[in-house]
Amino acid sequence: MTETVENHQDTAPPAAEKFSEPLTIGVEAYLSPEYARAERDKLWRKVWQQAGRVEEIPKVGDFLTYEILDDSIIIVRTAPDRIRAYHNVCSHRGRPLVDVPPGAHDARGRKRQWVCGFHGWRYNLDGENTFVAERDDWKCALTEANTRLPEVKVDTWGGWLWINLDPQAGPLREYLEPAASLLDPFQLQNMRFRWRKWLVFDCNWKVALEAFMETYHVPYTHPEFMSFGAFLGWSRAQGIHSNIGYDAPKDMDENQAKLRVGSGADARVSTAELQNFTWENANTNTTRTLVDVANRLVDDLPEGTPPAEVLQHWLATARAEDAARGVVWPTVEPAAVGASGTAWQIFPNFQIGHALNNMLCYSARPYGYDPDKCIFEAAVYELFPEGEEPATEWEFTPPDDPGWRTVLPQDFSNMAAIQRGMKTAGFTGPKPNPYRERTVVNLHHNLARYMGTGEPRPLA
């Protein structure tokens, strides 16, 4: 761990016990324009951020851009085995080398060199300045050091591209622990987009992210799910990160995860109902194979089969049928599945909702310096036969677009309302559930370490 990151890490008490007492959070982090401006230097220029997928830049010269407030970064494959990142700015007069088209999620393409559109200065893929018109006029004052593209730290994990604007930042792997070690068995790097959408919300980025960081809301925001089983769960502080999972019997560790058996009088029936509902109304957290196998459970298993056996049969059959078509699930011990839970919140703004063969991920970041707006991204990934993954792009999708189906809009309906509600004189600050919403407290605890303000305080 580097010096910068060490200053923001905790050592005690044990992660699972932290923040179990009632605490409250101030509203400054959500509402203050001054706080929003301070985030640029104190937070976003100090942390590792997920900026794209490795498979999006497969060939030498392939690049994409990532924008965070005033900073624009180019991430480019410079060799078959090397990826670099640069500040998207010409060293001459500060013009961006790559323009993001209006309304686009990012800019991407393939280049052999970067050419500034202002005065034609050129740079190769390794960031070296290769041409300056009338260079002699500078009387040898232009050097490699003051003309090359300023480099940004970049690394990969889980199939994602990660960048850090802090030249003193420590290794990505150390920053991601313990999430990286607990998620490595799921081989997330082998998954590919099934769909991806983005939009601009009328709320702070924290409000958007927190809507998906706990299960406490499920019975009330998504009451239809409760007919298929219990969807309340635990939350744990994991140092700078956190994770959540469903409560489950001790002999059903796997049922703390995304791929869950239904409850009720007949687990065969409720599991099929849950899978069909999820596929049709959310298009997340399942696959066509899982749905099809679930729909055959009544035929495959006798009435009265215990839920644990239903779960094992369902997953084993789906695994075998996927393997027959070239989709190989990773093998993860049930206890490890249970410990990893349903989702990880990677500080500060990325959520990985993982499963054995699919995942649902969210990210949120500022939309300029307006604390009342944010950029929100949602993406579903899946294991596909090699070469058969669908071609996808980031689609701008307003919250009322029918493409979101019915479940996610239920979450969306809370976001702008929360942002408005926190401004009322009668609101004294969030009061997270000490068991189910510990993740929210942990987020603000770690934000306070970077920002110097906003530490959660005892709820008196």
Tab-separated table of all heavy atoms in Angstrom, residues 59-114:
chain	number	residue	atom	x	y	z
A	59	LYS	N	-6.710	-3.807	-30.104
A	59	LYS	CA	-5.620	-3.716	-31.063
A	59	LYS	C	-4.755	-2.490	-30.793
A	59	LYS	O	-5.214	-1.500	-30.212
A	59	LYS	CB	-6.170	-3.655	-32.482
A	59	LYS	CG	-6.946	-4.910	-32.886
A	59	LYS	CD	-7.451	-4.812	-34.315
A	59	LYS	CE	-8.217	-6.069	-34.718
A	59	LYS	NZ	-8.731	-5.997	-36.102
A	60	VAL	N	-3.509	-2.564	-31.221
A	60	VAL	CA	-2.590	-1.439	-31.046
A	60	VAL	C	-3.179	-0.196	-31.709
A	60	VAL	O	-3.609	-0.244	-32.861
A	60	VAL	CB	-1.207	-1.762	-31.639
A	60	VAL	CG1	-0.304	-0.527	-31.577
A	60	VAL	CG2	-0.572	-2.926	-30.888
A	61	GLY	N	-3.209	0.887	-30.975
A	61	GLY	CA	-3.784	2.130	-31.462
A	61	GLY	C	-5.216	2.352	-31.032
A	61	GLY	O	-5.724	3.480	-31.131
A	62	ASP	N	-5.909	1.310	-30.566
A	62	ASP	CA	-7.276	1.469	-30.068
A	62	ASP	C	-7.253	2.308	-28.794
A	62	ASP	O	-6.415	2.095	-27.904
A	62	ASP	CB	-7.902	0.114	-29.773
A	62	ASP	CG	-8.293	-0.650	-31.030
A	62	ASP	OD1	-8.316	-0.037	-32.113
A	62	ASP	OD2	-8.580	-1.858	-30.921
A	63	PHE	N	-8.193	3.252	-28.692
A	63	PHE	CA	-8.226	4.126	-27.529
A	63	PHE	C	-9.671	4.426	-27.149
A	63	PHE	O	-10.610	4.259	-27.939
A	63	PHE	CB	-7.481	5.437	-27.806
A	63	PHE	CG	-8.246	6.383	-28.707
A	63	PHE	CD1	-9.106	7.347	-28.179
A	63	PHE	CD2	-8.139	6.293	-30.089
A	63	PHE	CE1	-9.823	8.206	-29.009
A	63	PHE	CE2	-8.846	7.141	-30.930
A	63	PHE	CZ	-9.683	8.104	-30.388
A	64	LEU	N	-9.829	4.884	-25.925
A	64	LEU	CA	-11.082	5.465	-25.464
A	64	LEU	C	-10.753	6.576	-24.485
A	64	LEU	O	-9.629	6.648	-23.963
A	64	LEU	CB	-12.004	4.412	-24.849
A	64	LEU	CG	-11.507	3.566	-23.678
A	64	LEU	CD1	-11.602	4.302	-22.339
A	64	LEU	CD2	-12.305	2.271	-23.581
A	65	THR	N	-11.718	7.456	-24.246
A	65	THR	CA	-11.509	8.555	-23.302
A	65	THR	C	-12.380	8.364	-22.068
A	65	THR	O	-13.402	7.678	-22.096
A	65	THR	CB	-11.854	9.910	-23.935
A	65	THR	OG1	-13.241	9.921	-24.321
A	65	THR	CG2	-10.980	10.178	-25.152
A	66	TYR	N	-11.932	8.984	-20.988
A	66	TYR	CA	-12.671	8.972	-19.728
A	66	TYR	C	-12.642	10.394	-19.181
A	66	TYR	O	-11.585	11.023	-19.112
A	66	TYR	CB	-12.032	8.004	-18.735
A	66	TYR	CG	-12.666	8.006	-17.361
A	66	TYR	CD1	-13.883	7.387	-17.139
A	66	TYR	CD2	-12.030	8.630	-16.284
A	66	TYR	CE1	-14.458	7.375	-15.875
A	66	TYR	CE2	-12.595	8.622	-15.017
A	66	TYR	CZ	-13.818	7.993	-14.822
A	66	TYR	OH	-14.385	7.990	-13.578
A	67	GLU	N	-13.825	10.903	-18.800
A	67	GLU	CA	-13.943	12.283	-18.321
A	67	GLU	C	-14.355	12.289	-16.861
A	67	GLU	O	-15.289	11.578	-16.460
A	67	GLU	CB	-15.011	13.043	-19.130
A	67	GLU	CG	-15.028	12.765	-20.627
A	67	GLU	CD	-13.834	13.346	-21.346
A	67	GLU	OE1	-13.482	14.502	-21.040
A	67	GLU	OE2	-13.275	12.649	-22.201
A	68	ILE	N	-13.667	13.077	-16.055
A	68	ILE	CA	-14.061	13.275	-14.673
A	68	ILE	C	-13.816	14.738	-14.310
A	68	ILE	O	-12.663	15.188	-14.204
A	68	ILE	CB	-13.321	12.307	-13.714
A	68	ILE	CG1	-13.739	12.545	-12.272
A	68	ILE	CG2	-11.828	12.333	-13.907
A	68	ILE	CD1	-15.171	12.133	-11.981
A	69	LEU	N	-14.908	15.505	-14.227
A	69	LEU	CA	-14.855	16.947	-13.973
A	69	LEU	C	-13.962	17.629	-15.012
A	69	LEU	O	-14.230	17.525	-16.203
A	69	LEU	CB	-14.417	17.215	-12.534
A	69	LEU	CG	-15.414	16.711	-11.472
A	69	LEU	CD1	-14.853	16.889	-10.060
A	69	LEU	CD2	-16.757	17.408	-11.600
A	70	ASP	N	-12.884	18.293	-14.594
A	70	ASP	CA	-12.053	19.032	-15.548
A	70	ASP	C	-11.035	18.159	-16.263
A	70	ASP	O	-10.323	18.645	-17.152
A	70	ASP	CB	-11.301	20.160	-14.817
A	70	ASP	CG	-12.237	21.226	-14.288
A	70	ASP	OD1	-13.217	21.551	-14.984
A	70	ASP	OD2	-12.012	21.716	-13.171
A	71	ASP	N	-10.944	16.912	-15.898
A	71	ASP	CA	-9.897	16.055	-16.440
A	71	ASP	C	-10.445	15.108	-17.503
A	71	ASP	O	-11.482	14.465	-17.314
A	71	ASP	CB	-9.250	15.243	-15.313
A	71	ASP	CG	-8.512	16.133	-14.334
A	71	ASP	OD1	-7.627	16.882	-14.786
A	71	ASP	OD2	-8.832	16.098	-13.134
A	72	SER	N	-9.709	15.042	-18.613
A	72	SER	CA	-10.015	14.113	-19.689
A	72	SER	C	-8.791	13.245	-19.906
A	72	SER	O	-7.670	13.750	-20.001
A	72	SER	CB	-10.377	14.868	-20.973
A	72	SER	OG	-10.621	13.969	-22.037
A	73	ILE	N	-9.002	11.933	-19.978
A	73	ILE	CA	-7.890	10.985	-20.080
A	73	ILE	C	-8.074	10.135	-21.320
A	73	ILE	O	-9.189	9.693	-21.628
A	73	ILE	CB	-7.815	10.091	-18.821
A	73	ILE	CG1	-7.464	10.925	-17.578
A	73	ILE	CG2	-6.780	8.986	-18.984
A	73	ILE	CD1	-8.633	11.492	-16.839
A	74	ILE	N	-6.980	9.918	-22.039
A	74	ILE	CA	-6.952	8.982	-23.161
A	74	ILE	C	-6.310	7.691	-22.672
A	74	ILE	O	-5.211	7.711	-22.116
A	74	ILE	CB	-6.127	9.534	-24.337
A	74	ILE	CG1	-6.711	10.843	-24.866
A	74	ILE	CG2	-6.045	8.508	-25.461
A	74	ILE	CD1	-5.788	11.546	-25.868
A	75	ILE	N	-6.989	6.570	-22.877
A	75	ILE	CA	-6.433	5.254	-22.561
A	75	ILE	C	-6.235	4.530	-23.878
A	75	ILE	O	-7.180	4.377	-24.659
A	75	ILE	CB	-7.373	4.460	-21.639
A	75	ILE	CG1	-7.714	5.288	-20.391
A	75	ILE	CG2	-6.741	3.128	-21.245
A	75	ILE	CD1	-8.807	4.687	-19.537
A	76	VAL	N	-5.010	4.088	-24.152
A	76	VAL	CA	-4.681	3.564	-25.476
A	76	VAL	C	-3.809	2.317	-25.354
A	76	VAL	O	-2.957	2.221	-24.469
A	76	VAL	CB	-3.964	4.646	-26.327
A	76	VAL	CG1	-2.692	5.149	-25.649
A	76	VAL	CG2	-3.668	4.151	-27.735
A	77	ARG	N	-4.041	1.369	-26.250
A	77	ARG	CA	-3.160	0.203	-26.329
A	77	ARG	C	-1.982	0.582	-27.219
A	77	ARG	O	-2.144	0.860	-28.405
A	77	ARG	CB	-3.887	-1.013	-26.887
A	77	ARG	CG	-3.016	-2.282	-26.882
A	77	ARG	CD	-3.798	-3.504	-27.302
A	77	ARG	NE	-4.816	-3.879	-26.329
A	77	ARG	CZ	-4.610	-4.592	-25.233
A	77	ARG	NH1	-3.361	-5.005	-24.947
A	77	ARG	NH2	-5.589	-4.908	-24.414
A	78	THR	N	-0.794	0.600	-26.648
A	78	THR	CA	0.404	1.018	-27.380
A	78	THR	C	1.214	-0.158	-27.899
A	78	THR	O	2.118	0.020	-28.711
A	78	THR	CB	1.295	1.884	-26.485
A	78	THR	OG1	1.706	1.129	-25.342
A	78	THR	CG2	0.538	3.127	-26.020
A	79	ALA	N	0.918	-1.350	-27.429
A	79	ALA	CA	1.571	-2.585	-27.885
A	79	ALA	C	0.626	-3.723	-27.545
A	79	ALA	O	-0.304	-3.550	-26.748
A	79	ALA	CB	2.931	-2.771	-27.207
A	80	PRO	N	0.823	-4.910	-28.133
A	80	PRO	CA	-0.080	-6.016	-27.818
A	80	PRO	C	-0.199	-6.300	-26.333
A	80	PRO	O	-1.260	-6.735	-25.866
A	80	PRO	CB	0.556	-7.197	-28.567
A	80	PRO	CG	1.252	-6.571	-29.724
A	80	PRO	CD	1.799	-5.271	-29.198
A	81	ASP	N	0.858	-6.043	-25.579
A	81	ASP	CA	0.859	-6.340	-24.153
A	81	ASP	C	1.022	-5.096	-23.288
A	81	ASP	O	1.432	-5.186	-22.132
A	81	ASP	CB	1.969	-7.329	-23.829
A	81	ASP	CG	3.353	-6.800	-24.198
A	81	ASP	OD1	3.427	-5.762	-24.894
A	81	ASP	OD2	4.350	-7.430	-23.797
A	82	ARG	N	0.722	-3.915	-23.836
A	82	ARG	CA	0.921	-2.703	-23.044
A	82	ARG	C	-0.199	-1.701	-23.290
A	82	ARG	O	-0.603	-1.468	-24.435
A	82	ARG	CB	2.270	-2.054	-23.368
A	82	ARG	CG	2.599	-0.858	-22.450
A	82	ARG	CD	4.006	-0.330	-22.690
A	82	ARG	NE	4.164	0.253	-24.012
A	82	ARG	CZ	4.994	-0.182	-24.945
A	82	ARG	NH1	5.757	-1.246	-24.702
A	82	ARG	NH2	5.087	0.412	-26.122
A	83	ILE	N	-0.700	-1.115	-22.202
A	83	ILE	CA	-1.724	-0.066	-22.248
A	83	ILE	C	-1.190	1.137	-21.494
A	83	ILE	O	-0.590	0.992	-20.420
A	83	ILE	CB	-3.040	-0.562	-21.615
A	83	ILE	CG1	-3.638	-1.695	-22.449
A	83	ILE	CG2	-4.044	0.583	-21.483
A	83	ILE	CD1	-4.803	-2.390	-21.779
A	84	ARG	N	-1.378	2.310	-22.073
A	84	ARG	CA	-0.955	3.541	-21.405
A	84	ARG	C	-2.124	4.518	-21.339
A	84	ARG	O	-3.106	4.384	-22.070
A	84	ARG	CB	0.225	4.183	-22.133
A	84	ARG	CG	1.546	3.460	-21.909
A	84	ARG	CD	2.710	4.182	-22.547
A	84	ARG	NE	3.981	3.622	-22.093
A	84	ARG	CZ	5.163	3.966	-22.586
A	84	ARG	NH1	5.260	4.860	-23.567
A	84	ARG	NH2	6.272	3.419	-22.106
A	85	ALA	N	-2.002	5.509	-20.465
A	85	ALA	CA	-3.019	6.544	-20.334
A	85	ALA	C	-2.337	7.900	-20.254
A	85	ALA	O	-1.255	8.032	-19.658
A	85	ALA	CB	-3.876	6.296	-19.091
A	86	TYR	N	-2.966	8.895	-20.870
A	86	TYR	CA	-2.415	10.253	-20.913
A	86	TYR	C	-3.513	11.267	-20.629
A	86	TYR	O	-4.693	11.031	-20.920
A	86	TYR	CB	-1.830	10.565	-22.300
A	86	TYR	CG	-0.837	9.568	-22.809
A	86	TYR	CD1	-1.191	8.638	-23.794
A	86	TYR	CD2	0.469	9.529	-22.323
A	86	TYR	CE1	-0.281	7.715	-24.276
A	86	TYR	CE2	1.385	8.605	-22.794
A	86	TYR	CZ	1.000	7.695	-23.774
A	86	TYR	OH	1.905	6.771	-24.241
A	87	HIS	N	-3.098	12.396	-20.083
A	87	HIS	CA	-3.999	13.531	-20.043
A	87	HIS	C	-4.292	13.957	-21.483
A	87	HIS	O	-3.381	14.085	-22.308
A	87	HIS	CB	-3.378	14.696	-19.266
A	87	HIS	CG	-3.349	14.478	-17.787
A	87	HIS	ND1	-4.447	14.716	-16.987
A	87	HIS	CD2	-2.356	14.033	-16.971
A	87	HIS	CE1	-4.130	14.439	-15.739
A	87	HIS	NE2	-2.871	14.020	-15.698
A	88	ASN	N	-5.553	14.165	-21.769
A	88	ASN	CA	-5.998	14.502	-23.119
A	88	ASN	C	-5.798	15.993	-23.373
A	88	ASN	O	-6.746	16.774	-23.416
A	88	ASN	CB	-7.476	14.104	-23.265
A	88	ASN	CG	-8.044	14.429	-24.639
A	88	ASN	OD1	-7.301	14.631	-25.604
A	88	ASN	ND2	-9.373	14.489	-24.733
A	89	VAL	N	-4.525	16.382	-23.543
A	89	VAL	CA	-4.235	17.804	-23.712
A	89	VAL	C	-2.895	17.982	-24.435
A	89	VAL	O	-1.914	17.304	-24.120
A	89	VAL	CB	-4.219	18.528	-22.342
A	89	VAL	CG1	-3.111	17.985	-21.437
A	89	VAL	CG2	-4.099	20.033	-22.511
A	90	CYS	N	-2.871	18.856	-25.397
A	90	CYS	CA	-1.634	19.194	-26.095
A	90	CYS	C	-0.752	20.049	-25.196
A	90	CYS	O	-1.228	20.982	-24.538
A	90	CYS	CB	-1.959	19.941	-27.391
A	90	CYS	SG	-0.490	20.452	-28.328
A	91	SER	N	0.529	19.744	-25.164
A	91	SER	CA	1.449	20.464	-24.276
A	91	SER	C	1.740	21.883	-24.747
A	91	SER	O	2.371	22.649	-24.021
A	91	SER	CB	2.762	19.679	-24.153
A	91	SER	OG	3.368	19.518	-25.428
A	92	HIS	N	1.267	22.253	-25.943
A	92	HIS	CA	1.540	23.580	-26.489
A	92	HIS	C	0.641	24.652	-25.873
A	92	HIS	O	1.096	25.509	-25.121
A	92	HIS	CB	1.360	23.545	-28.017
A	92	HIS	CG	1.503	24.877	-28.691
A	92	HIS	ND1	0.770	25.203	-29.813
A	92	HIS	CD2	2.272	25.953	-28.415
A	92	HIS	CE1	1.098	26.425	-30.204
A	92	HIS	NE2	2.009	26.906	-29.372
A	93	ARG	N	-0.666	24.562	-26.147
A	93	ARG	CA	-1.579	25.587	-25.665
A	93	ARG	C	-2.768	25.017	-24.885
A	93	ARG	O	-3.683	25.765	-24.519
A	93	ARG	CB	-2.092	26.420	-26.840
A	93	ARG	CG	-1.016	27.241	-27.564
A	93	ARG	CD	-0.817	28.588	-26.900
A	93	ARG	NE	-2.020	29.408	-27.004
A	93	ARG	CZ	-2.370	30.111	-28.074
A	93	ARG	NH1	-1.611	30.100	-29.163
A	93	ARG	NH2	-3.484	30.835	-28.073
A	94	GLY	N	-2.767	23.720	-24.675
A	94	GLY	CA	-3.793	23.137	-23.824
A	94	GLY	C	-5.037	22.654	-24.541
A	94	GLY	O	-6.031	22.319	-23.889
A	95	ARG	N	-5.005	22.589	-25.879
A	95	ARG	CA	-6.188	22.093	-26.568
A	95	ARG	C	-6.285	20.574	-26.415
A	95	ARG	O	-5.296	19.866	-26.549
A	95	ARG	CB	-6.132	22.415	-28.061
A	95	ARG	CG	-7.493	22.222	-28.752
A	95	ARG	CD	-7.371	21.902	-30.235
A	95	ARG	NE	-8.665	21.913	-30.879
A	95	ARG	CZ	-9.570	20.955	-30.776
A	95	ARG	NH1	-9.320	19.893	-30.018
A	95	ARG	NH2	-10.737	21.046	-31.399
A	96	PRO	N	-7.491	20.042	-26.118
A	96	PRO	CA	-7.626	18.584	-26.103
A	96	PRO	C	-7.242	17.977	-27.446
A	96	PRO	O	-7.560	18.535	-28.503
A	96	PRO	CB	-9.111	18.363	-25.796
A	96	PRO	CG	-9.533	19.613	-25.077
A	96	PRO	CD	-8.735	20.724	-25.698
A	97	LEU	N	-6.577	16.848	-27.407
A	97	LEU	CA	-6.192	16.164	-28.645
A	97	LEU	C	-7.346	15.374	-29.236
A	97	LEU	O	-7.406	15.166	-30.450
A	97	LEU	CB	-5.019	15.219	-28.359
A	97	LEU	CG	-3.719	15.901	-27.929
A	97	LEU	CD1	-2.726	14.868	-27.426
A	97	LEU	CD2	-3.127	16.692	-29.095
A	98	VAL	N	-8.258	14.924	-28.376
A	98	VAL	CA	-9.423	14.166	-28.819
A	98	VAL	C	-10.665	14.858	-28.278
A	98	VAL	O	-10.762	15.125	-27.080
A	98	VAL	CB	-9.367	12.713	-28.305
A	98	VAL	CG1	-10.639	11.959	-28.713
A	98	VAL	CG2	-8.132	11.995	-28.833
A	99	ASP	N	-11.602	15.171	-29.160
A	99	ASP	CA	-12.858	15.784	-28.751
A	99	ASP	C	-13.923	14.714	-28.564
A	99	ASP	O	-14.088	13.835	-29.418
A	99	ASP	CB	-13.339	16.787	-29.810
A	99	ASP	CG	-12.414	17.986	-29.937
A	99	ASP	OD1	-11.918	18.458	-28.906
A	99	ASP	OD2	-12.200	18.447	-31.076
A	100	VAL	N	-14.640	14.802	-27.460
A	100	VAL	CA	-15.768	13.908	-27.239
A	100	VAL	C	-16.976	14.496	-27.964
A	100	VAL	O	-17.350	15.643	-27.711
A	100	VAL	CB	-16.077	13.749	-25.739
A	100	VAL	CG1	-17.293	12.852	-25.529
A	100	VAL	CG2	-14.862	13.184	-25.008
A	101	PRO	N	-17.596	13.760	-28.876
A	101	PRO	CA	-18.747	14.295	-29.610
A	101	PRO	C	-19.855	14.730	-28.646
A	101	PRO	O	-20.074	14.083	-27.615
A	101	PRO	CB	-19.199	13.119	-30.484
A	101	PRO	CG	-17.979	12.271	-30.630
A	101	PRO	CD	-17.238	12.402	-29.327
A	102	PRO	N	-20.552	15.821	-28.952
A	102	PRO	CA	-21.634	16.279	-28.070
A	102	PRO	C	-22.650	15.166	-27.813
A	102	PRO	O	-23.105	14.493	-28.733
A	102	PRO	CB	-22.264	17.430	-28.860
A	102	PRO	CG	-21.165	17.926	-29.753
A	102	PRO	CD	-20.372	16.710	-30.121
A	103	GLY	N	-22.972	14.969	-26.543
A	103	GLY	CA	-23.956	13.965	-26.173
A	103	GLY	C	-23.443	12.548	-26.130
A	103	GLY	O	-24.196	11.628	-25.784
A	104	ALA	N	-22.161	12.335	-26.448
A	104	ALA	CA	-21.603	10.981	-26.445
A	104	ALA	C	-21.102	10.602	-25.053
A	104	ALA	O	-20.733	11.457	-24.248
A	104	ALA	CB	-20.470	10.866	-27.457
A	105	HIS	N	-21.055	9.318	-24.798
A	105	HIS	CA	-20.531	8.811	-23.537
A	105	HIS	C	-19.035	9.025	-23.440
A	105	HIS	O	-18.499	9.309	-22.361
A	105	HIS	CB	-20.857	7.316	-23.418
A	105	HIS	CG	-20.325	6.658	-22.191
A	105	HIS	ND1	-19.074	6.066	-22.131
A	105	HIS	CD2	-20.868	6.478	-20.959
A	105	HIS	CE1	-18.881	5.566	-20.931
A	105	HIS	NE2	-19.943	5.790	-20.206
A	106	ASP	N	-18.330	8.875	-24.568
A	106	ASP	CA	-16.887	9.036	-24.619
A	106	ASP	C	-16.482	9.147	-26.073
A	106	ASP	O	-17.313	9.107	-26.977
A	106	ASP	CB	-16.170	7.855	-23.940
A	106	ASP	CG	-16.617	6.509	-24.502
A	106	ASP	OD1	-16.709	6.373	-25.735
A	106	ASP	OD2	-16.883	5.593	-23.706
A	107	ALA	N	-15.185	9.306	-26.313
A	107	ALA	CA	-14.628	9.237	-27.667
A	107	ALA	C	-13.795	7.974	-27.746
A	107	ALA	O	-13.153	7.576	-26.776
A	107	ALA	CB	-13.783	10.469	-27.961
A	108	ARG	N	-13.792	7.333	-28.914
A	108	ARG	CA	-12.995	6.123	-29.081
A	108	ARG	C	-12.690	5.929	-30.551
A	108	ARG	O	-13.306	6.522	-31.434
A	108	ARG	CB	-13.716	4.907	-28.497
A	108	ARG	CG	-15.107	4.669	-29.071
A	108	ARG	CD	-15.805	3.529	-28.336
A	108	ARG	NE	-15.975	3.814	-26.917
A	108	ARG	CZ	-15.995	2.883	-25.966
A	108	ARG	NH1	-15.853	1.600	-26.288
A	108	ARG	NH2	-16.165	3.193	-24.700
A	109	GLY	N	-11.693	5.117	-30.820
A	109	GLY	CA	-11.290	4.856	-32.195
A	109	GLY	C	-9.921	4.213	-32.215
A	109	GLY	O	-9.507	3.555	-31.257
A	110	ARG	N	-9.214	4.402	-33.332
A	110	ARG	CA	-7.866	3.858	-33.471
A	110	ARG	C	-6.974	4.924	-34.095
A	110	ARG	O	-7.347	5.566	-35.073
A	110	ARG	CB	-7.858	2.596	-34.338
A	110	ARG	CG	-6.490	1.906	-34.419
A	110	ARG	CD	-6.588	0.613	-35.207
A	110	ARG	NE	-7.544	-0.305	-34.592
A	110	ARG	CZ	-8.125	-1.307	-35.242
A	110	ARG	NH1	-7.849	-1.531	-36.519
A	110	ARG	NH2	-8.973	-2.092	-34.620
A	111	LYS	N	-5.802	5.132	-33.514
A	111	LYS	CA	-4.873	6.162	-33.980
A	111	LYS	C	-3.473	5.583	-34.101
A	111	LYS	O	-3.082	4.681	-33.343
A	111	LYS	CB	-4.824	7.324	-32.968
A	111	LYS	CG	-6.116	8.098	-32.795
A	111	LYS	CD	-6.270	9.182	-33.817
A	111	LYS	CE	-7.444	10.094	-33.469
A	111	LYS	NZ	-7.638	11.151	-34.490
A	112	ARG	N	-2.717	6.140	-35.031
A	112	ARG	CA	-1.282	5.868	-35.094
A	112	ARG	C	-0.496	6.998	-34.443
A	112	ARG	O	0.663	6.827	-34.075
A	112	ARG	CB	-0.842	5.676	-36.536
A	112	ARG	CG	-1.359	4.392	-37.167
A	112	ARG	CD	-0.767	4.162	-38.523
A	112	ARG	NE	-1.155	5.208	-39.473
A	112	ARG	CZ	-0.743	5.273	-40.745
A	112	ARG	NH1	0.109	4.358	-41.203
A	112	ARG	NH2	-1.157	6.231	-41.539
A	113	GLN	N	-1.128	8.155	-34.340
A	113	GLN	CA	-0.516	9.302	-33.677
A	113	GLN	C	-1.627	10.270	-33.274
A	113	GLN	O	-2.755	10.175	-33.757
A	113	GLN	CB	0.483	10.008	-34.597
A	113	GLN	CG	-0.158	10.615	-35.839
A	113	GLN	CD	0.834	11.364	-36.698
A	113	GLN	OE1	1.951	11.649	-36.303
A	113	GLN	NE2	0.420	11.730	-37.912
A	114	TRP	N	-1.281	11.206	-32.385
A	114	TRP	CA	-2.216	12.245	-31.987
A	114	TRP	C	-1.769	13.539	-32.665
A	114	TRP	O	-0.589	13.902	-32.612
A	114	TRP	CB	-2.231	12.435	-30.473
A	114	TRP	CG	-2.222	11.161	-29.704
A	114	TRP	CD1	-1.176	10.600	-29.043
A	114	TRP	CD2	-3.314	10.254	-29.533
A	114	TRP	NE1	-1.533	9.420	-28.473
A	114	TRP	CE2	-2.842	9.176	-28.754
A	114	TRP	CE3	-4.638	10.255	-29.966
A	114	TRP	CZ2	-3.658	8.119	-28.396
A	114	TRP	CZ3	-5.453	9.194	-29.603
A	114	TRP	CH2	-4.964	8.146	-28.835
